[in-house]
Amino acid sequence: MAHVAGIDVGGTFTDVLLYDEDRQGLRLAKVFSTTEMQADGLMNGLRQFDFPLDQLDALLHGTTVATNAVLERKGAKTALITTTGFRDVLEVRRRDRPHTYGLTGDYTPIVPRSRSFEIDERVDFAGNIVKELSSGELETLTEKLRAAEIESVAICLINSHKNSVHEQAIADHLAHEMPDVSVSASHQIAPTLGEFERASTTAINAFVRNLMTAYLGAVQSRMASAGFERDVLVMQSNGGVIPAARAGEYAVRTLLSGPAAGTVAAAAFGRAADLPNVISCDMGGTSFDVALIPGGVPSVTAESEVEYGLPLKIPMIDIKTIGAGGGSIAYIDRAGILRVGPESAGSLPGPVCYGRGGTKPTVSDANVVLGRIASDQKLGTQAGFSLDAAGAWEAIRREIAEPLEMTVPQAALAIIRIANEMMANAIRMVSVDKGHDPREFALVGFGGAGPLHIAELARAIGCRSVIIPPHPGALSAFGCLMGDVKYDFTTSVGVDVTAIDDTVIHEALAEHRNSGTQQLAAEGFPEDRRKVEHFAVLSYAQQMYTLDITLSGPVENWTPAALADAFVEKYAQTFGGRVREGAINLIELRSVATGHRPAVELRAAEPTERTETESRAITFEDGEHTVPVLWRDTFQPGQIITGPAVIHQTDTTTVLPPRSEAEVRSNGSLVVKVEA
């Protein structure tokens, strides 16, 4: 009997799922996150199962440790080492600005200029050594780093993606002379074109590496003390998992760990519902994460931003995040306009209704006032926790209703309306802005607050179908359970595709395949559970934007001419109109090696008998309705629930507005049809 634990540590709650392979069922623990030491919350959740941890077959973990460290600038004291003349790479950026209008911004580089050090060496664009690196330069650099009391080092030299010999020499020297200082080299972290993006990615990795290594080491150690002898697996931003030790070394790859896991699970439930085109909508306590999933496969991007001025140049699921969660604070700005977010009350003090010291009204407080969350509702499995409905009412009255001369319910409804419109705009940004009609997609609503809002969101953007998974408040933890092991490999090329010899392409891809299969074989994956996929990244000369070409079939078929033809065809499909003429550059060759873990199959739990009936008043856009209160654990496959209704479960509350209808599927999902 296999038992696997999936864990997602969020800003407000830590979700833990225990999967029983034989019964194809789940057990849930939902506890408050422990911000000072996130491993405590993780262990608190696991202990609620009263299950011997030495009998776990796997533990898969999504985390926000790296993300929070970057956003709050609470990482290691980091130095950046660059080629002479390029010390200002992180500050010069691309000379863009955070807002369309205005010449000022609040950008703070991840490594200040005072800790950027130059070293006299040079490699040209083709990888030829122009200026040798001397031992004297290395000794001088070491002295500067010691004097600055540096804890972590990022190395990003000019053109090191073409020839990494100098970066490797610096890394080897520092490993010998300063063994307590961690080193991140760009040719290992992000071996791609784009000096600024490569430097930013490497600097972020160095900034969070020590913290992630310590945190994951603590998790691994505490699990080992409980008898768990396997590697803890950590979700990456690309939707795959890797062992904790490697995740610490490549910490930058975990920045979208939790949201990526939720997207993986959303895609799976979409396919199971015969609705492969879905948009995942994760509304937690702090943020709203949305991703486009056409054809059942999450969209992947090779470049994104943690925040303004902090780009990442690594493969990751394309997720749009805004500050709209259950804990998002509502306030009146200087112009007298009601605003919601992006500031969040977090888990401590949290929304006013949590009764943990919060004083500012939030989206969750508005849901309590409107009756969408019951005043006696128990959130999660945290012992001794109850809601303070009177406090929520008073906070909205004091901060919003009286200043705007509204009733408290009117103010609460306005908060919900603004939050919904913010989230609807985020959905449009990942769909309409990229040429997709959201009406042709279903929304997957999850996160602790997602099912409260998802049906109204669907109506706002014209979607007709909504999927609410069995444990929506812990779907990211479920996505961790589903994670396959993934490794990315990249070879930078950066020249006209017609000037490349076939062997350059074939040898690079062969090297990727060999490295990937060897790594997966070493981790115990048999040949029938290993898969390697190849991609080429191309663009027209002097264009910034690239297109990825999937290299299916035998690698030998992909000649320079075949790559050029495939790029022109995809360019026409993507952008339409007349295909332009001009040189085509092969930017890089990329491969993904996947080790497939056992599939997670889920069936609906046996329904629970409940004889009591209950109803309560809930306020919607068209007024107050008295609606039935239903318990999700009583549902049977095939059952139809007609809105308006409210559905309770341990990890969240689902609200079905008027003119909606939900069907219970065999795996426990609700598929909701929403009328305009």
Side-chain angles (χ1 to χ4, degrees), residues 569-634:
E569 181 179 352
K570 186 166 184 178
Y571 192 93
Q573 293 173 350
T574 303
F575 299 108
R578 184 177 63 86
V579 177
R580 57 168 287 177
E581 297 180 356
I584 298 171
N585 287 342
L586 174 58
I587 305 301
E588 63 191 29
L589 295 165
R590 186 168 64 85
S591 300
V592 181
T594 303
H596 293 290
R597 296 181 54 258
V600 175
E601 302 291 342
L602 198 63
R603 62 170 177 249
E606 290 296 321
T608 302
E609 294 263 346
R610 291 182 187 263
T611 56
E612 71 275 12
T613 58
E614 185 182 345
S615 63
R616 72 169 181 263
I618 295 181
T619 303
F620 295 97
E621 288 286 348
D622 62 352
E624 186 176 276
H625 294 253
T626 299
V627 307
V629 177
L630 309 174
W631 290 89
R632 192 160 180 179
D633 59 8
T634 66

Side-chain angles (χ1 to χ4, degrees), residues 156-220:
C156 185
L157 305 181
I158 292 299
N159 297 319
S160 60
H161 60 288
K162 298 294 290 184
N163 185 343
S164 62
V165 62
H166 288 171
E167 277 198 359
Q168 191 61 57
I170 296 172
D172 292 343
H173 176 80
L174 294 179
H176 182 266
E177 296 296 325
M178 303 178 70
D180 294 333
V181 173
S182 62
V183 178
S184 301
S186 73
H187 72 275
Q188 296 174 325
I189 304 300
T192 62
L193 280 169
E195 177 206 352
F196 166 52
E197 289 78 11
R198 186 159 48 90
S200 174
T201 306
T202 308
I204 292 171
N205 191 82
F207 187 72
V208 299
R209 177 174 173 174
N210 293 359
L211 187 65
M212 277 296 290
T213 299
Y215 166 67
L216 293 174
V219 172
Q220 188 77 62

